[in-house]
Amino acid sequence: MLINQLERAIASADALRNLYGNDSQVIGQQQKRYSNLLATFSKTFGGDNVEFFSSPGRTEIGGNHTDHNYGRVLAGAVNLDNVAVAAANGTNKVRILSSGYPQFEVDLTNLQPNKSEYFTSVSLVRGIGARLKELGYKIGGFDAVIDSGVPKGSGLSSSASFEVLIGSIYSHLFNDGRLDPVLNAQIGQYAENVFFGKPCGLMDQTACSVGGLITIDFADPSKPIVKKVDFDFTKTGYALVITDTGGNHADLNDEYASLPADMKGVATKLGKQVLRQVSLSQVLDAIPSLRKDGTTDRAILRAIHFERDNERVAQQVADLEKGDFNSFLDKVVASGRSSFMYNQNVYPASAPQEQGLSLALALSDIVLGSEGAYRVHGGGFAGTIQAFVPASLVDKYVSTLEHTFGTGKCWKLFIRPQGSIKVEF
């Protein structure tokens, strides 16, 4: 689309309301953001025929630490997004300028993993291109300017959002938009595992790519079952508020590693590989023998959390599909309590004096009582909590949490229906 046509479309804001809602202040911010991206692209790369792409962040809503033991999860795309303006450049080179970072270039004539590129955006762009070509899709060079509206460290999966954004650019610029959203997610996961050098599951990429609310069943992790949940969150009268407590994720690797290790340890004692292959009654029946064999009480409690939270996801999906939002909220609270009491990932055992998440949950309980829901968000131990807050309490809730954790630490979000897309103006 020609730049002058895009400028007029941005001014009308119709396409932006589909992505960001009807708040006039938010729309104004997005209009400025999109216009600045166009200006930066013209200054950096030139050209007059470009496309816009948007890829959301994601929030985990149900199933806390269930995916690594082949369980179920419930997740949703949010209205914080990565936005790119991009155009094919007729070469084999991808050139990307991301806000706040130096411009980088990827030569697509080389599609092999390189350990020297681990943990870089270069590796993701190369890995996504490599996997697409391997699967028979076309790839080519393009220029892009990207602005990230998904804060790093927010627990909203900025990296997964970036991955499926790149997949969408390849798809629309070279393949007429034929790339299936779930396959786009799987390609992003592949690039992160093989080229970026980081093991990861598929939940984050899938939620970002598909959009809306989705549930994923990892019973067969090689063929996860992805189902879109038919529920319009925007009509509930609730805001989804994510609060950054400012906790430090450094030196928590052992804490995170202990979760799947504890769960799989219990499964192994019961003759299975993962807890999805075990029932709650089997865990409960085996408690005396497990303790006698040296299994820790913490591991047993975490196994109980898995079994109940895994089943709770199916119940939450059923609640949403029949429109029982209050019952759904009750299960959000139950999941949070399970994470605190059984899974024990709200504060690090190595530093029990650091309890930012616990404090944020306590404040949520005081403000919301029975009128909303709140839980640990994502991996836990530090970082963010999630709350579903009725419109009448949003201002009070945000002011209370930001009084403690600082101005700008709360993000008022909603579940957006669109996944990673080319923005249609």
Side-chain angles (χ1 to χ4, degrees):
M1 194 169 180
L2 296 178
I3 285 180
N4 60 356
Q5 293 175 318
L6 282 170
E7 288 171 342
R8 289 194 296 271
I10 291 168
S12 75
D14 290 340
L16 300 181
R17 290 188 185 93
N18 291 332
L19 294 174
Y20 306 106
N22 293 312
D23 186 302
S24 59
Q25 183 178 356
V26 172
I27 292 299
Q29 292 168 347
Q30 294 299 332
Q31 287 174 311
K32 184 176 180 180
R33 180 190 188 197
Y34 276 62
S35 294
N36 287 342
L37 279 170
L38 275 181
T40 302
F41 186 93
S42 295
K43 180 180 178 181
T44 306
F45 300 115
D48 196 40
N49 198 343
V50 300
E51 302 289 351
F52 271 105
F53 299 86
S54 167
S55 180
R58 74 95 186 101
T59 181
E60 171 210 285
I61 295 171
N64 190 237
H65 283 284
T66 51
D67 55 336
H68 50 61
N69 267 252
Y70 298 4
R72 305 180 185 95
V73 297
L74 176 63
V78 298
N79 54 302
L80 295 180
D81 62 348
N82 284 307
V83 174
V85 57
N89 60 27
T91 75
N92 283 322
K93 293 182 179 180
V94 174
R95 300 184 297 178
I96 294 178
L97 175 62
S98 291
S99 56
Y101 296 92
Q103 182 177 325
F104 67 88
E105 184 176 290
V106 182
D107 188 342
L108 297 178
T109 58
N110 175 10
L111 294 176
Q112 298 301 314
N114 185 339
K115 287 187 177 181
S116 69
E117 293 178 349
Y118 274 10
F119 310 114
T120 68
S121 298
V122 170
S123 68
L124 294 173
V125 174
R126 193 185 310 281
I128 293 165
R131 186 61 172 161
L132 281 166
K133 186 173 183 179
E134 183 180 342
L135 293 173
Y137 289 89
K138 297 176 183 178
I139 62 172
F142 63 84
D143 299 325
V145 175
I146 299 175
D147 178 71
S148 176
V150 184
K152 290 187 180 297
S154 64
L156 297 171
S157 292
S158 58
S159 59
S161 177
F162 175 83
E163 290 160 18
V164 297
L165 178 73
I166 297 300
S168 291
I169 293 173
Y170 278 124
S171 177
H172 286 277
L173 293 186
F174 305 107
N175 297 279
D176 299 319
R178 292 187 295 105
L179 185 61
D180 176 79
V182 175
L183 181 56
N184 188 9
Q186 292 170 328
I187 289 169
Q189 180 198 27
Y190 170 87
E192 187 163 340
N193 292 170
V194 177
F195 282 72
F196 190 81
K198 178 183 176 183
C200 70
L202 188 60
M203 178 183 73
D204 295 350
Q205 290 87 349
T206 306
C208 295
S209 185
V210 174
L213 286 166
I214 62 165
T215 183
I216 312 173
D217 190 330
F218 291 102
D220 180 353
S222 66
K223 297 178 181 177
I225 300 172
V226 180
K227 176 185 176 185
K228 199 151 187 173
V229 181
D230 185 16
F231 183 82
D232 188 351
F233 177 81
T234 62
K235 295 180 179 178
T236 63
Y238 281 73
L240 172 63
V241 181
I242 304 295
T243 301
D244 180 5
T245 67
N248 186 0
H249 286 272
D251 301 323
L252 290 178
N253 287 342
D254 289 345
E255 298 278 6
Y256 291 122
S258 72
L259 285 156
D262 277 351
M263 291 181 183
K264 290 176 181 178
V266 172
T268 299
K269 290 288 182 68
L270 296 176
K272 300 296 182 180
Q273 182 183 2
V274 291
L275 283 176
R276 183 61 184 275
Q277 301 159 347
V278 177
S279 68
L280 176 61
S281 61
Q282 287 176 303
V283 173
L284 298 179
D285 288 345
I287 287 176
S289 61
L290 288 169
R291 298 183 81 198
K292 186 176 181 180
D293 286 346
T295 301
T296 66
D297 292 338
R298 185 184 71 175
I300 295 169
L301 288 166
R302 284 175 166 171
I304 294 171
H305 164 81
F306 171 89
E307 300 295 350
R308 299 185 73 183
D309 222 36
N310 184 53
E311 182 59 32
R312 193 176 289 116
V313 169
Q315 296 167 355
Q316 287 177 299
V317 171
D319 285 342
L320 292 173
E321 290 182 333
K322 66 185 179 183
D324 192 344
F325 193 61
N326 288 330
S327 180
F328 162 79
L329 291 177
D330 289 342
K331 293 178 178 65
V332 172
V333 174
S335 175
R337 288 176 177 166
S338 181
S339 292
F340 208 148
M341 294 171 61
Y342 303 134
N343 210 35
Q344 300 180 28
N345 65 319
V346 172
Y347 61 88
S350 57
Q353 70 278 9
E354 298 175 12
Q355 295 203 32
L357 294 181
S358 306
L359 181 57
L361 292 169
L363 294 172
S364 300
D365 183 38
I366 291 168
V367 175
L368 299 178
S370 61
E371 297 187 62
Y374 44 89
R375 67 195 282 273
V376 63
H377 183 241
F381 298 113
T384 59
I385 69 159
Q386 171 193 84
F388 292 88
V389 184
S392 60
L393 289 175
V394 167
D395 290 344
K396 181 179 180 181
Y397 182 83
V398 170
S399 64
T400 300
L401 274 291
E402 290 193 344
H403 172 72
T404 298
F405 299 106
T407 302
K409 293 296 185 178
C410 290
W411 294 290
K412 293 179 283 186
L413 309 176
F414 59 82
I415 303 297
R416 90 173 204 180
Q418 304 88 353
S420 185
I421 60 168
K422 183 178 83 169
V423 182
E424 298 291 351
F425 284 96

